[in-house]
């Protein structure tokens, strides 16, 4: 059984795909359902996907498809296009029928949206991170002073520090770090990597947390700190 908001979002996506062939953006879905933040849309989409109503397509931004509609929706019938707050059309009369119980409203949780700026290598360095791919909602108590961003981890060089391939790390933007901090390091202004920083005189060592990887040592000016690890998130 779908909640009212889940049903409204499913019908909105279905109608938009029928009309344009392109799924709506998160901003459009938020406005259509009159929600205060996109975190609520994230939860609704995840719930619809888990229940088998929609499927998100990999490697394509905003790509999703409606797999099925609720059993109460006849083939070929859809919901009206929302204007402001979305409200589905009444199809059947209910004279003589008991009024169904109203579904519980979707809970609203407070959080701050943090941009995910692409992928970071916990292994062999990759190109510097510059692209804002999407956003995640982070509890405000995890954020301190300053600007924050997030990165998706690729690689296994930091597994003994508890950072696994596929994790998302929360980074506080800073250009300085203490020896022993786990940082986003930019090497020669070309490659970015997530490693533990060690200061050795004027040189910088980028240390893996996996014995399969060697510690890399760089001379003065070759490594610039782009941020320091604050937290990580993992999906199961």
């Amino acid at each position: 059984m779908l909640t009212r908001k889940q049903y409204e979002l499913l019908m909105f996506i279905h109608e938009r795909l029928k009309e344009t062939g392109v799924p709506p953006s998160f901003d459009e879905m938020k406005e259509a359902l009159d929600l205060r933040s996109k975190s609520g849309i994230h939860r609704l989409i995840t719930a619809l996907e888990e229940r088998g109503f929609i499927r998100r397509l990999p490697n394509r931004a905003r790509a999703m498809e409606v797999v099925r509609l609720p059993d109460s929706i006849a083939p070929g019938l859809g919901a009206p296009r929302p204007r402001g707050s979305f409200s589905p059309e009444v199809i059947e009369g209910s004279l003589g029928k008991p009024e169904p119980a109203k579904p519980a409203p979707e809970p609203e949780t407070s959080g701050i949206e943090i941009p995910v700026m692409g992928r970071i290598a916990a292994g062999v360095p990759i190109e510097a991170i510059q692209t804002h791919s999407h956003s995640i909602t982070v509890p405000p108590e995890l954020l301190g002073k300053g600007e924050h961003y997030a990165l998706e981890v690729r690689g296994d060089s930091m597994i003994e520090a508890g950072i696994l391939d596929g994790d998302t790390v929360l980074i506080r933007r800073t250009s300085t770090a203490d020896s022993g901090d786990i940082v986003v390091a930019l090497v020669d202004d070309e490659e970015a990597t997530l490693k533990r920083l060690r200061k050795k005189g004027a040189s910088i060592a980028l240390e893996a947390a996996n014995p399969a990887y060697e510690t890399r040592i760089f001379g003065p000016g070759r490594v610039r700190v782009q941020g320091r690890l604050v937290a990580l998130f993992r999906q199961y």
Side-chain angles (χ1 to χ4, degrees):
M1 178 181 296
L2 297 179
T3 66
R4 178 172 57 86
K5 288 293 187 184
Q6 290 168 359
Y7 174 84
E8 291 176 1
L9 181 60
L10 178 63
M11 292 297 100
F12 179 50
I13 296 171
H14 174 62
E15 288 299 312
R16 181 58 64 88
L17 286 170
K18 283 176 56 180
E19 292 176 4
T20 67
V22 179
S25 68
F26 274 72
D27 285 325
E28 291 170 334
M29 290 186 278
K30 178 172 70 72
E31 181 179 353
L33 272 68
D34 197 26
L35 294 180
R36 292 192 296 272
S37 69
K38 288 187 283 188
S39 62
I41 297 296
H42 279 283
R43 293 195 302 273
L44 291 171
I45 287 178
T46 299
L48 290 172
E49 188 175 30
E50 290 174 348
R51 288 163 173 79
F53 287 95
I54 66 172
R55 180 187 298 118
R56 282 185 279 191
L57 306 178
N59 303 321
R60 292 173 56 192
R62 285 176 48 181
M64 66 180 70
E65 62 182 357
V66 175
V67 178
R68 65 185 181 94
L69 296 175
D71 294 337
S72 59
I73 303 297
L77 292 179
R81 182 186 307 173
R83 298 184 183 274
S85 179
F86 183 79
S87 178
E89 180 182 355
V90 176
I91 298 175
E92 290 187 9
S94 58
L95 185 62
K97 297 181 181 179
E99 184 177 352
K102 294 183 178 180
E106 287 288 327
E108 289 287 342
T109 59
S110 60
I112 298 175
E113 290 195 357
I114 299 296
V116 178
M117 303 300 291
R119 296 176 177 176
I120 185 75
V124 179
I126 58 177
E127 292 183 359
I129 304 301
Q130 296 179 355
T131 303
H132 177 190
S133 59
H134 59 286
S135 299
I136 60 172
T137 301
V138 175
E141 56 267 23
L142 289 180
L143 303 176
K145 295 181 180 180
E147 183 182 354
H148 293 74
Y149 62 94
L151 295 167
E152 295 178 352
V153 175
R154 289 294 177 266
D156 60 357
S157 73
M158 299 300 291
I159 56 175
E160 292 189 2
I163 303 172
L164 308 182
D165 182 64
D167 287 348
T168 298
V169 290
L170 178 64
I171 305 295
R172 181 172 69 85
R173 192 183 297 275
T174 179
S175 60
T176 62
D178 296 327
S179 187
D181 286 345
I182 296 177
V183 302
V184 174
L186 187 64
V187 180
D188 295 331
D189 289 327
E190 294 180 351
E191 299 173 325
T193 188
L194 185 71
K195 292 290 184 293
R196 193 178 300 279
L197 179 141
R198 299 289 186 188
K199 296 180 179 180
K200 298 180 180 293
S203 298
I204 294 293
L206 298 180
E207 181 180 279
N210 182 337
Y213 292 82
E214 295 182 353
T215 297
R216 303 176 70 195
I217 301 177
F218 299 91
R222 294 190 60 193
V223 175
R224 289 196 295 124
V225 174
Q226 300 288 284
R228 182 173 59 83
L229 176 69
V230 174
L232 69 82
F233 304 91
R234 181 173 300 153
Q235 291 186 345
Y236 294 92

